[in-house]
Amino acid sequence: MKVVIQRVTKASVTIEGEKVASITNGLLVLLGIVDDDTQEDINWLSNKIVNLRIFEDDHQVMNKSLFDINGDIIVVSQFTLHAATKKGNRPSYIKAAKPDVAIPLYEAFVKTLEAGLGKTVQTGEFGADMKVELLNDGPVTIIIDSKNKE
């Protein structure tokens, strides 16, 4: 399970002209899932995200978490995070999990984040053509792969 986390002052997801998610002050999380991801990956990654100290304190030091700032999260499914680009110029997405595997893991990830954060997490729509708009704060962008946790 791989995520790209962006600290944002605002972010939104629009599908077919309708805004389906919108936050201010929090994290936009792009989530890529592979076939061998498990609930263990979800638990570890969710805990890491909600406790990640990447928001500035009064001294402009990144020392606060989502809890500290009462921040929000938008999660967007992003199979292209697992693109293989070694051979040729057309990315291969063979490593990305197919919907029958990915959707239940995506939904479990969102529920686990909600439990850890103690509030609703907004989402895009799995497999939809989404327009994601954000104002990256910093900019702060962090990539985490649950397969590299040790």
Side-chain angles (χ1 to χ4, degrees):
M1 196 164 278
K2 187 183 292 186
V3 293
V4 173
I5 300 167
Q6 297 186 61
R7 186 179 77 180
V8 298
T9 55
K10 65 179 180 176
S12 63
V13 177
T14 302
I15 301 171
E16 295 181 7
E18 180 184 344
K19 192 175 285 188
V20 298
S22 180
I23 65 167
T24 58
N25 208 27
L27 299 175
L28 172 66
V29 178
L30 305 175
L31 173 67
I33 299 169
V34 294
D35 284 333
D36 65 347
D37 285 330
T38 66
Q39 187 65 46
E40 181 181 332
D41 294 293
I42 291 169
N43 293 344
W44 181 84
L45 199 50
S46 296
N47 185 59
K48 181 65 80 175
I49 290 168
V50 299
N51 291 296
L52 202 57
R53 294 175 15 195
I54 59 171
F55 296 92
E56 293 179 352
D57 63 17
D58 295 336
H59 304 288
Q60 284 66 54
V61 175
M62 285 194 278
N63 203 27
K64 291 187 173 188
S65 71
L66 275 171
F67 289 116
D68 299 321
I69 66 154
N70 194 27
D72 292 309
I73 299 176
I74 293 181
V75 176
V76 175
S77 61
Q78 186 79 40
F79 75 92
T80 60
L81 292 181
H82 291 288
T85 58
K86 186 176 181 179
K87 184 177 173 184
N89 293 318
R90 184 174 179 267
S92 168
Y93 305 106
I94 194 117
K95 292 181 182 178
K98 302 291 183 265
D100 61 318
V101 171
I103 291 172
L105 291 170
Y106 170 79
E107 291 171 349
F109 178 77
V110 171
K111 286 182 176 154
T112 304
L113 273 177
E114 288 176 335
L117 194 56
K119 62 174 153 177
T120 301
V121 169
Q122 296 196 44
T123 66
E125 181 183 316
F126 190 94
D129 180 17
M130 295 175 272
K131 306 304 179 207
V132 179
E133 187 174 3
L134 69 135
L135 184 56
N136 191 318
D137 182 21
V140 174
T141 302
I142 296 174
I143 300 168
I144 304 175
D145 190 330
S146 64
K147 304 304 186 226
N148 297 331
K149 64 181 169 249
E150 295 177 11

